[in-house]
Amino acid sequence: VEGHRKFRGEGNSSCRHQNGAYELARLHGPATSRTMGVLNEIQGLLWHDIWDLPGRLRGERPWAFQLKDLIDNERGIAKAKCRKKCEP
């Protein structure tokens, strides 16, 4: 929810996912961050995509579940890992 306030709109989806995954990984570890990212995509599929399947199939709205979001999450997790490893 906080990510949607900071990085509004579909054009900022990559920043939103990378930043959210980074913060979660930094605070709670990569496993928690990864789990929350996958659960976020699943809830998008169940609560948004399936609920509005005809509109999604017609291309009226973007899909909530997107593989690129999971890839962006991994980028954020990698940045958090690097930062932890590189800092004294």
Side-chain angles (χ1 to χ4, degrees):
V1 172
E2 183 63 25
H4 282 278
R5 286 186 201 120
K6 288 182 180 180
F7 304 101
R8 295 181 184 268
E10 190 60 30
N12 288 319
S13 178
S14 181
C15 291
R16 183 170 50 249
H17 281 271
Q18 286 187 49
N19 185 64
Y22 171 84
E23 291 297 329
L24 275 172
R26 193 174 59 78
L27 296 171
H28 303 288
T32 298
S33 180
R34 188 170 288 115
T35 300
M36 296 305 290
V38 170
L39 290 174
N40 178 60
E41 292 306 305
I42 291 171
Q43 72 84 26
L45 174 70
L46 296 175
W47 292 345
H48 299 288
D49 293 338
I50 291 175
W51 177 79
D52 184 29
L53 193 56
R56 304 288 192 218
L57 292 173
R58 287 191 301 266
E60 294 170 358
R61 281 168 289 291
W63 291 86
F65 182 97
Q66 295 191 18
L67 182 59
K68 74 178 186 62
D69 292 344
L70 295 174
I71 293 167
D72 287 331
N73 291 347
E74 290 301 318
R75 288 187 180 123
I77 292 167
K79 288 176 185 176
K81 283 183 184 178
C82 177
R83 182 173 176 180
K84 282 185 177 181
K85 260 174 49 175
C86 300
E87 289 181 348

